[in-house]
Each structure stands twice: as structure tokens, then as C-alpha cells.
């Protein structure tokens, strides 16, 4: 019996009022249709109506693409689960290694999601990763690579990974990576960066992310040293130094209602400093996570994009917001090559192959749960130089969209991946619940915007 698939998405194309983009949630098909087919594919359509309103030729194509189906709802759920399993297995061959040289940090940012670590005391924070732990970690990395897993980059995170006092252990990490042809990416506040100038190379730490939250006064009111001192001037100086070193520098701004008015000023700063002239410079804006934010101060990424659109106008602003830019990049690539959509079973590496190792040798699935021993997925076995994983690892690795009840029936499940599990647990007290963050609205906006920008561009000769 013919029916409309539960995973058929129909998106209005704003510049072509009588056209719609059909998207299928597990086949990954994208197709442009006219208003009559859009109307015929309403979810309430009966088989008789479908046979009457859609020609036999169109029905055949629509069935091949997944929009029409003879599967029952239960059979579709099973199909989604099988596709999710294949996607998950494939993505699990790419591993992500994050090292935490220390939990210590010289900043006291007002919205820090790691504030809970301060309760553990000074001695806990000041522990540094040692050479023995590093040797075991890289021993496991070697084994993984021998087994065919892909590890192209190691991430440094904290605390603050590039504290001046952490130079010796970071230098060891860089040397171990160089021996294996692995480059490093560091998420740093940028304050002590000048002490690492010799490690900021194309075969060392070749990419960094630094945060500026506004012009000088606004930034210093949000991101200040532990003693309350300002940080803006030192960071700006170090960004210029890093760009001259030739490494990639991405400047992030965490945005809420308090600094929303700073966006234009920051863009002007980047131009005035000459940073936008460097091909190795980029910047973006991200709303502060509402699960770590005062509700009265929080904004959504949709609200942030509305603000960016007033500056850039339409699609051009997508690249300056992380959620929009990620979708724009993956879907834009698909549109240009006329291929299928990049589907995913889980939201991020926490569900596949992300290992975050702290100074104590504890392993966590992601950055957001660092220091919470209940969420540890294992330990580094020093004697055997391997990761010794526990039952919590299977819990995290098993969080795919088809395993989340409300996600499994969602048309967007394999585009979204269920959202962040850590944030879902904070918001809903349950990792295995959805954390949508306006994904459906953002997805539809990006698809319609890309149609306008890419598919309507003049053909290249």
C-alpha cells in the first residue's frame, strides 16, 4: 500500500514560491518539486489520493527516492535503525584524541562550563599530565593506527592547555606527534601563547582557537584573569604573532544578550588589525549554551543568525555561526556534486571514537563531562600502554539517533544525530533524550538559502 514516508521533509524555497525542496531523512535524497507534488505528499494523503494526484512516472521516481513507500511505520523504523548502524560503524573508524595537560586555568570566565572543577581544590587543578601517561597514550595510538583506525590530529584542551608552566609537557606532546606525522589543534585562551611561539608550526601546533568576546571593555568584563586583571590586549598581541607564524587561527566569540551589540565592533577590529588579510585567519560566533547560561541572558543560534543577517544579508552570514556553517559546508558540498546528503548516526565523536584523556589518566567521551568520574569511560593502563574501557563506554558509544525514542520517529534524525548527549542530560536529566537546539528550523533555513545561492548561480564554463 502506497503512503508518504514518515521521513519525507518538504521545505519551501523562498525565492521560488511554487517550488519546494524534498528531503528524505534516511535515503538522503534531495529533489526540487512543484507545488502540486508538494501538496500531494501531505502526510494525511491516502493511497487513493496519491494514485490520483501523482502520475505513474512521478510516483516511480518518488518511491525510488524514498518519499513514497510501501513500508509500514514499523518497517521504516527498522530501516532507519539499519542505516544508522552502518553509518555508526563507518564513522567509528575515525578516532579523535584530546589531551588535557592540566585542569588548571589562569582565567575565570563568567560562563565557564568547567566551574564545577574549582570545587575539587587547588591541588586537583594543578596536577599535570606526566611522561608515563603520555607514553601509554601514544602506545595506544600506535596500536589503533596499526589496526586501521584514522588519527590525523590530536587536540589540546583544558583547563588552559597552553599555560606558561605547561610548556615542558606540551613540548613532549608535540614531539611525540611529530614522530608520527600527527598535527595538533589547541583550544586556548591565548594569554600565554608567546611562550609557545617555537611550537606554532605547520608540523606542530598548526591550528588554534582563541576567544574574543567583544571589544576591549566588553571582553575584559567577561574573560578576565583569576585575579581579575584584563586579558584583551595580551590576546590581541598573541593572535597577530600566531598569524605571522603561519598557523591557522580561528577566533570564536561566545554571544549572549550582554555582548550581542559587539559583533560589528569585533569585525572592524579584525579588519583594522589586518587579520582578515591573512588566509590562515577565520572567525565565528556561537551563542552560549543555554544549559550553562543564566536564562535571562541566553539567546539561541537562530536569534544570533538573525543579527548576523542584518550585517551580511542572507546566506553570507551562515559561515560566521558554527551550527549554520557546519550544515552549509556539508550540504553545500553535496549540492555542488549532486550527490547524497552526509547522514550521521550520532551527534559527535562522543558516540563514535572520541577519547579525552585528563592529567589523571581518566578517559572521558567528550569535553563537556571532564572531571565527572561517573562519566569516565575508562582509564589509561600504564603497564600495558592501552586504553582500558569500562561499561560507560558502551553507554556513550551507543547513543545514536535511532536509540532515542523521540528522535527515531523524527524526519531529521540522521541529519541531527540526536543533539549533544551531555547537554541533554543537563536539560532533561537523561542522556538518551533529544537536545534539538532549533535544528529543524536551522536545517530548513540553510537548505533554502543554499538553493538560492548555489543552484541559481550561473553555470561555470
Amino acid at each position: 500500500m502506497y503512503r508518504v514516508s514518515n521521513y519525507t521533509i518538504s521545505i519551501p524555497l523562498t525565492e521560488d514560491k511554487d517550488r519546494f525542496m524534498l528531503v528524505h531523512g534516511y535515503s538522503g535524497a534531495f529533489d526540487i518539486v512543484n507545488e502540486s507534488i508538494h501538496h500531494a505528499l501531505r502526510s494525511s494523503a491516502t493511497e487513493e489520493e496519491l494514485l490520483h494526484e501523482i502520475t505513474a512516472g512521478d510516483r516511480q521516481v518518488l518511491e525510488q527516492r524514498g518519499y513514497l513507500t510501501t513500508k509500514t511505520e514499523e518497517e521504516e523504523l527498522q530501516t532507519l535503525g539499519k542505516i544508522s548502524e552502518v553509518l555508526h560503524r563507518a564513522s567509528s573508524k575515525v578516532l579523535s584524541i584530546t589531551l588535557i595537560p592540566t585542569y588548571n586555568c589562569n582565567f575565570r570566565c563568567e560562563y565557564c562550563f568547567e566551574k564545577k572543577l574549582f570545587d575539587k581544590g587547588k591541588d586537583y587543578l594543578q596536577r599535570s599530565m606526566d611522561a608515563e601517561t603520555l607514553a601509554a597514550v601514544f602506545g595506544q595510538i600506535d596500536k589503533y593506527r596499526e589496526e586501521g583506525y584514522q588519527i590525523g590530529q590530536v587536540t589540546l584542551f583544558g583547563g588552559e592547555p597552553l599555560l606558561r608552566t605547561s610548556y615542558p609537557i606540551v613540548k613532549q606532546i608535540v614531539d611525540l606527534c611529530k614522530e608520527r606525522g600527527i598535527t595538533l589543534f589547541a583550544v586556548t585562551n591565548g594569554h600565554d601563547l608567546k611562550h609557545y611561539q617555537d611550537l606554532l608550526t605547520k608540523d606542530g601546533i598548526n591550528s588554534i582557537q582563541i576567544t574574543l568576546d567583544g571589544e576591549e571593555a566588553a571582553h575584559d568584563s567577561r574573560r578576565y584573569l583569576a585575579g581579575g586583571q584584563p586579558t584583551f590586549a595580551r590576546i590581541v598581541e598573541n593572535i597577530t604573532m600566531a598569524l605571522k607564524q603561519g598557523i591557522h587561527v580561528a577566533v570564536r566569540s561566545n554571544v549572549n544578550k550582554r555582548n550581542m551589540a559587539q559583533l560589528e565592533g569585533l569585525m572592524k577590529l579584525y579588519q583594522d588589525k589586518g587579520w582578515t588579510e591573512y588566509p590562515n585567519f577565520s572567525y565565528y560566533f556561537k551563542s552560549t549554551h543555554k544549559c550553562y547560561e543564566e536564562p535571562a541572558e541566553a539567546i539561541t543560534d537562530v536569534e544570533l543568525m538573525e543579527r548576523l543577517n542584518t550585517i551580511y544579508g542572507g546566506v553570507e552570514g551562515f559561515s560566521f555561526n558554527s551550527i549554520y556553517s557546519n550544515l552549509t559546508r556539508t550540504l553545500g558540498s553535496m549540492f555542488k556534486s549532486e550527490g547524497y546528503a552526509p547522514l550521521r548516526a550520532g551527534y559527535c565523536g562522543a558516540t563514535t571514537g572520541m577519547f579525552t584523556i585528563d592529567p589523571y589518566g581518566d578517559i572521558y567521551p567528550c569535553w563537556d563531562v571532564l572531571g565527572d568520574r561517573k562519566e569516565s569511560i575508562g582509564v589509561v593502563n600504564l603497564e600495558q600502554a592501552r586504553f582500558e574501557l569500562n561499561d560507560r563506554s558502551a553507554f556513550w558509544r551507543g547513543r545514536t539517533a535511532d536509540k532515542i525514542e523521540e528522535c527515531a520517529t523524527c524526519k531529521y534524525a540522521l541529519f541531527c544525530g540526536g543533539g549533544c548527549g551531555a547537554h541533554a542530560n543537563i536539560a532533561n536529566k537523561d542522556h538518551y533524550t533529544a537536545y534539538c537546539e532549533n535544528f529543524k528550523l536551522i536545517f530548513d533555513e540553510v537548505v533554502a538559502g543554499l538553493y538560492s545561492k548555489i543552484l541559481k548561480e550561473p553555470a561555470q564554463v
Side-chain angles (χ1 to χ4, degrees):
M1 185 178 96
Y2 264 133
R3 68 180 185 84
V4 179
S5 167
N6 287 356
Y7 299 90
T8 295
I9 302 166
S10 187
I11 301 170
L13 297 174
T14 52
E15 294 196 16
D16 281 341
K17 300 297 183 183
D18 62 342
R19 291 183 177 270
F20 296 79
M21 182 76 76
L22 289 186
V23 182
H24 195 266
Y26 61 74
S27 77
F30 279 67
D31 294 280
I32 298 170
V33 298
N34 59 34
E35 189 170 7
S36 65
I37 290 181
H38 158 75
H39 176 75
L41 291 177
R42 59 197 180 278
S43 59
S44 60
T46 64
E47 182 178 36
E48 183 180 356
E49 289 170 329
L50 291 170
L51 293 173
H52 175 72
E53 297 179 26
I54 305 175
T55 66
D58 285 341
R59 286 199 306 272
Q60 183 179 9
V61 174
L62 292 168
E63 184 176 6
Q64 289 173 344
R65 304 290 279 171
Y67 310 118
L68 288 179
T69 185
T70 57
K71 292 184 176 74
T72 66
E73 292 186 356
E74 183 58 35
E75 286 171 337
E76 279 209 287
L77 276 173
Q78 292 172 1
T79 300
L80 179 85
K82 290 175 182 177
I83 293 173
S84 177
E85 184 180 348
V86 171
L87 292 168
H88 190 248
R89 192 183 308 124
S91 61
S92 296
K93 296 298 288 183
V94 180
L95 303 185
S96 171
I97 307 294
T98 297
L99 301 179
I100 314 297
T102 179
Y103 278 129
N104 203 10
C105 185
N106 51 349
F107 277 33
R108 292 297 181 268
C109 304
E110 63 175 22
Y111 48 75
C112 179
F113 71 87
E114 292 186 339
K115 285 179 181 178
K116 60 186 182 295
L117 294 176
F118 299 149
D119 297 336
K120 294 178 179 284
K122 184 177 180 181
D123 291 341
Y124 178 87
L125 293 174
Q126 292 186 339
R127 171 76 172 265
S128 180
M129 187 173 283
D130 56 35
E132 189 178 13
T133 300
L134 276 183
V137 167
F138 280 87
Q140 177 67 85
I141 287 175
D142 292 340
K143 292 172 188 173
Y144 279 141
R145 297 179 96 186
E146 289 168 6
E147 293 167 2
Y149 290 94
Q150 299 176 43
I151 305 173
Q153 188 176 65
V154 166
T155 297
L156 298 176
F157 196 72
E160 167 51 42
L162 302 185
L163 286 175
R164 176 179 54 82
T165 52
S166 295
Y167 180 90
I169 194 66
V170 173
K171 176 67 163 60
Q172 288 184 52
I173 295 171
V174 171
D175 289 343
L176 288 165
C177 285
K178 281 184 176 180
E179 291 171 8
R180 293 159 173 82
I182 298 173
T183 57
L184 292 106
F185 165 64
V187 179
T188 173
N189 60 38
H191 189 269
D192 288 355
L193 198 60
K194 67 178 181 181
H195 300 288
Y196 289 84
Q197 186 167 353
D198 64 313
L199 302 183
L200 304 180
T201 61
K202 291 184 179 180
D203 62 345
I205 302 174
N206 71 354
S207 181
I208 59 175
Q209 177 184 285
I210 296 176
T211 299
L212 283 176
D213 271 0
E215 296 177 85
E216 189 162 6
H219 171 91
D220 286 339
S221 71
R222 294 162 64 86
R223 299 180 63 83
Y224 39 83
L225 290 175
Q229 301 94 325
T231 62
F232 179 88
R234 176 80 65 87
I235 294 171
V236 167
E237 178 183 321
N238 286 336
I239 289 173
T240 299
M241 177 273 292
L243 288 170
K244 290 179 178 178
Q245 286 290 111
I247 69 166
H248 183 259
V249 179
V251 174
R252 169 180 173 133
S253 299
N254 297 310
V255 183
N256 61 10
K257 290 178 181 176
R258 291 185 57 203
N259 67 333
M260 180 84 94
Q262 294 289 310
L263 304 188
E264 291 98 326
L266 278 170
M267 294 174 196
K268 185 175 185 304
L269 171 74
Y270 303 155
Q271 293 172 344
D272 291 347
K273 291 293 180 182
W275 297 345
T276 54
E277 300 300 315
Y278 286 89
N280 50 316
F281 175 74
S282 64
Y283 64 93
Y284 72 98
F285 305 92
K286 177 72 181 72
S287 64
T288 52
H289 291 298
K290 63 182 181 182
C291 52
Y292 303 122
E293 178 66 279
E294 292 293 330
E297 300 291 347
I299 62 169
T300 66
D301 279 292
V302 174
E303 291 172 311
L304 175 56
M305 182 50 60
E306 288 173 354
R307 184 74 184 90
L308 287 170
N309 283 343
T310 66
I311 302 170
Y312 289 101
V315 181
E316 298 305 320
F318 288 174
S319 62
F320 299 104
N321 175 277
S322 56
I323 292 180
Y324 280 81
S325 66
N326 289 338
L327 274 174
T328 300
R329 184 180 66 254
T330 54
L331 293 176
S333 175
M334 178 208 68
F335 283 167
K336 288 179 179 179
S337 65
E338 297 182 347
Y340 279 91
L343 303 176
R344 56 178 175 172
Y347 178 72
C348 68
T351 67
T352 53
M354 185 174 186
F355 298 98
T356 304
I357 300 99
D358 80 356
Y360 294 88
D362 291 322
I363 306 172
Y364 294 90
C366 73
W367 308 345
D368 283 74
V369 295
L370 282 168
D372 184 351
R373 293 297 302 278
K374 299 190 302 299
E375 300 292 2
S376 171
I377 60 172
V379 296
V380 178
N381 185 313
L382 301 182
E383 292 183 0
Q384 299 178 24
R386 68 181 182 88
F387 294 169
E388 198 170 275
L389 303 180
N390 58 30
D391 292 343
R392 197 65 177 172
S393 175
F395 174 86
W396 274 93
R397 299 320 193 207
R399 188 187 180 272
T400 51
D402 60 301
K403 300 296 194 304
I404 302 169
E405 185 176 358
E406 58 197 298
C407 295
T409 56
C410 174
K411 304 174 194 291
Y412 298 80
L414 296 185
F415 292 106
C416 169
C420 174
H423 294 171
N425 188 49
I426 293 171
N428 308 322
K429 309 302 181 189
D430 185 351
H431 297 75
Y432 276 66
T433 55
Y435 191 77
C436 301
E437 290 192 293
N438 296 305
F439 182 86
K440 297 176 185 179
L441 193 157
I442 294 171
F443 183 90
D444 289 4
E445 184 179 351
V446 169
V447 167
L450 283 174
Y451 169 79
S452 173
K453 182 178 189 297
I454 297 174
L455 298 185
K456 300 186 74 174
E457 287 176 349
Q460 298 297 313
V461 179

